[in-house]
Amino acid sequence: MRICLLTEGSYPYVVGGVSSWVQMLMEGLPEYEFFIYSIGAEAKDRGNYKYRFPENCKGIQEVFLDEILHLPSSGMRTHALTAEERETLRALVQGEAPLELPGLARVLRRRDWKSPLDLFMTSDFFDVIARAYRERYSYLPFTDYFWTLRSMLLPLFFLLSQPLPEADVYHSVATGYCGVLGGMAALLYRKPFMITEHGIYSREREAEIIKSDWAKGDFKSIWIRYFYHLAQLAYASADHVYTLFEHNARIEAELGCDPRKIGIVPNGIHMERFAAVPELTEHAGPIVIGAVVRVVPIKDIVTLLRAFFLVHRALPETELYVMGNMEEDPEYVALCRRTVETLGIEGVTFTGSIDVAAYLPRMDVLVLSSISEGQPLSVLEGFAAHRPYVTTDVGCCRELIYGDSMDTLGTAGAVVAPMDYEAMAREILRLARDYKLRKEMAAVGYERCRRGYTYEHFIASYRRIYEEEGQVRR
């Protein structure tokens, strides 16, 4: 059986998170063939892989969005679309009426389009945009509205016009562009399609757009509605949708995914990798706090540094190790270093990429300061190493720390609101000052990980899922 894994902005160009999950999945299921369909931002990343493909990965097809800049156009055309095709485009532009992939395929994969730009150059498409503008956005400058719609839709049109690989099962790691593409491939080849949603893609895009500078005022709401519309299209196209934890499943249902499609499969880790890490001991000398994290904005290292400033001021016998990749965003790394200098924080070490298992024996408390997560492997690895965690209330962290609805083990750390560095500092200090509490919480985390978050459980679940998906007929 050949499985096409569709990725977006992650594997194989970025280390950690979803990329690690993809690598673990392929390595754990050598009896299946995998093919990667990867959507990237810039063509300069072509072939710049951060992972070595396992033997059962039989190839990769790379598509980069900046290739749009080189698209040709055939010039203006009039009356190029049927009435049905115009209605499909209107549903896509307005984001209100239900949109189905078959109709979108008929519009975007017509053989007479030489380029995705050809559709934009029709009078029909201009009329669709003009109508949407009159009905809802007439208070905005029309030129700005038109170019916003063009910028928004052209990547989708470009991607849906690309050749799609043939496989037995299509498996997308998100509901965005790769989710729509997976649904399109499954439609064309009449094969099953499934999604594993790590974080809630549409909500992550919403958070990014709200904070962005490139979208202004009411144009932010247009972009946000668009990504929710894509998610609904992906949900509707999928035979099954898998997520990592209960809370995500509830959100997916609220966003329009049929609850009967939704299943929960947690991430899993190799616990044996951390078997040599000794349990916590009461010791002299500084209390060591660690963060296993890429130094990028979404991990919000600045909040962690502000929290540690308060911790170190209250308890000078403390140290902080920020352990993770520092190459992705040099500007953010520079901001973090300036924060350390400006606040005059002592005892902070940025290690860069390291062998986490070799560093964890030094740690007393681990911290995750992210503003967005799915089900962070770093927390599970900390649990496997018998360390308690202070996390922000993002993704699955609350369930990992306190347990899900079926879990009665107890508390494995503390959860605070994102960006609340004062609450983060208080919880770190509470654990730093109480060895017995650290030890008890660490034991809960270890047992929670052992019972429900092992690599073996993760792989067994997807082996069963692929067997079942392979029997789906469209």
Side-chain angles (χ1 to χ4, degrees):
M1 181 188 296
R2 173 168 288 202
I3 297 145
C4 178
L5 284 172
L6 298 105
T7 67
E8 180 178 332
S10 56
Y11 190 86
Y13 315 109
V14 177
V15 174
V18 173
S19 294
S20 296
W21 180 92
V22 170
Q23 187 77 3
M24 290 169 61
L25 182 68
M26 292 193 293
E27 290 176 345
L29 294 169
E31 67 269 35
Y32 292 115
E33 290 186 357
F34 288 90
F35 185 90
I36 304 297
Y37 187 100
S38 175
I39 303 171
E42 299 178 290
K44 66 180 179 61
D45 291 329
R46 188 184 305 277
N48 185 22
Y49 307 144
K50 303 298 185 183
Y51 290 87
R52 182 176 180 178
F53 298 143
E55 289 185 4
N56 59 329
C57 181
K58 299 303 182 180
I60 180 170
Q61 182 173 334
E62 301 171 89
V63 182
F64 297 95
L65 295 180
D66 65 348
E67 294 173 341
I68 294 171
L69 300 175
H70 308 293
L71 291 175
S73 173
S74 301
M76 286 296 298
R77 293 173 61 178
T78 59
H79 307 298
L81 302 180
T82 67
E84 182 181 12
E85 288 171 336
R86 287 195 297 272
E87 282 303 306
T88 296
L89 284 181
R90 192 171 78 86
L92 177 63
V93 168
Q94 291 193 329
E96 293 177 344
L99 182 64
E100 296 182 351
L101 269 179
L104 205 55
R106 286 192 292 272
V107 177
L108 299 181
R109 295 184 68 86
R110 277 176 32 174
R111 294 182 179 179
D112 57 329
W113 301 132
K114 296 180 179 179
S115 159
L117 278 176
D118 288 352
L119 179 55
F120 283 94
M121 299 299 290
T122 65
S123 60
D124 307 87
F125 187 73
F126 183 87
D127 291 343
V128 166
I129 291 182
R131 178 179 173 185
Y133 173 79
R134 289 193 302 271
E135 292 178 354
R136 174 174 288 182
Y137 297 107
S138 58
Y139 59 93
L140 297 172
F142 177 75
T143 301
D144 292 347
Y145 177 76
F146 177 85
W147 286 102
T148 295
L149 264 291
R150 187 182 186 278
S151 300
M152 192 169 71
L153 295 174
L154 187 52
L156 179 66
F157 290 8
F158 169 69
L159 291 170
L160 288 177
S161 68
Q162 300 300 305
L164 294 168
E166 191 165 0
D168 299 300
V169 174
Y170 293 90
H171 184 179
S172 173
V173 301
T175 61
Y177 294 125
C178 63
V180 177
L181 277 177
M184 182 67 77
L187 173 69
L188 295 175
Y189 295 114
R190 302 182 65 82
K191 298 294 184 179
F193 170 49
M194 55 184 280
I195 298 170
T196 295
E197 193 166 24
H198 299 257
I200 301 298
Y201 179 95
S202 49
R203 288 199 170 184
E204 291 173 350
R205 299 292 79 73
E206 179 178 19
E208 291 175 4
I209 291 164
I210 287 172
K211 293 187 297 181
S212 72
D213 293 326
W214 52 265
K216 306 292 185 182
D218 283 356
F219 291 107
K220 290 182 185 286
S221 65
I222 295 173
W223 277 98
I224 290 167
R225 181 180 292 109
Y226 172 66
F227 281 113
Y228 276 106
H229 203 39
L230 288 188
Q232 291 167 354
L233 183 58
Y235 289 144
S237 305
D239 297 291
H240 295 97
V241 176
Y242 296 96
T243 189
L244 306 179
F245 49 100
E246 290 179 350
H247 182 63
N248 262 12
R250 290 193 291 271
I251 294 174
E252 288 169 342
E254 291 171 1
L255 294 179
C257 184
D258 184 344
R260 294 170 296 182
K261 292 183 178 183
I262 301 173
I264 297 174
V265 181
N267 280 335
I269 62 163
H270 292 283
M271 290 192 71
E272 66 276 8
R273 181 185 170 200
F274 305 93
V277 179
E279 295 186 28
L280 285 170
T281 58
E282 198 165 14
H283 58 84
I287 295 294
V288 181
I289 298 150
V292 181
V293 63
R294 293 177 293 123
V295 185
V296 292
I298 200 168
K299 302 301 181 181
D300 198 8
I301 310 304
V302 170
T303 287
L304 172 64
L305 294 171
R306 288 171 174 167
F308 183 69
F309 170 74
L310 298 178
V311 169
H312 195 267
R313 189 171 64 179
L315 197 64
E317 286 283 295
T318 51
E319 296 176 355
L320 172 65
Y321 282 76
V322 180
M323 301 169 281
N325 186 297
M326 300 175 66
E327 299 175 358
E328 283 185 48
D329 194 328
E331 290 185 7
Y332 189 71
V333 172
L335 172 62
C336 292
R337 292 195 184 281
R338 285 199 303 273
T339 301
V340 172
E341 294 172 4
T342 301
L343 294 178
I345 311 174
E346 297 179 353
V348 178
T349 300
F350 292 91
T351 67
S353 298
I354 46 92
D355 177 3
V356 174
Y359 269 73
L360 286 179
R362 312 181 193 183
M363 304 299 141
D364 295 291
V365 180
L366 294 173
V367 185
L368 183 79
S369 53
S370 301
I371 57 176
S372 179
E373 286 285 351
Q375 192 174 67
L377 294 173
S378 60
V379 174
L380 298 176
E381 291 173 346
F383 286 173
H386 299 274
R387 264 56 182 177
Y389 242 105
V390 176
T391 76
T392 46
D393 194 2
V394 292
C396 187
C397 290
R398 179 169 290 275
E399 288 183 23
L400 292 179
I401 298 299
Y402 301 127
D404 63 21
S405 61
M406 304 298 290
D407 187 320
T408 59
L409 287 171
T411 301
V415 175
V416 301
M419 303 181 72
D420 190 343
Y421 64 92
E422 292 178 327
M424 187 178 292
R426 285 195 298 271
E427 294 298 341
I428 293 171
L429 283 168
R430 183 166 69 96
L431 287 168
R433 288 168 170 157
D434 192 333
Y435 165 71
K436 182 180 178 182
L437 182 63
R438 295 199 301 275
K439 185 89 169 175
E440 290 172 351
M441 288 182 168
V444 171
Y446 179 85
E447 185 61 18
R448 179 164 293 138
C449 188
R450 187 189 70 80
R451 290 190 186 185
Y453 299 96
T454 65
Y455 179 75
E456 292 76 15
H457 179 267
F458 161 69
I459 290 299
S461 296
Y462 275 100
R463 179 175 284 115
R464 173 186 53 78
I465 287 168
Y466 283 146
E467 289 174 359
E468 293 174 355
E469 293 292 336
Q471 298 170 11
V472 173
R473 294 291 179 267
R474 288 197 167 207

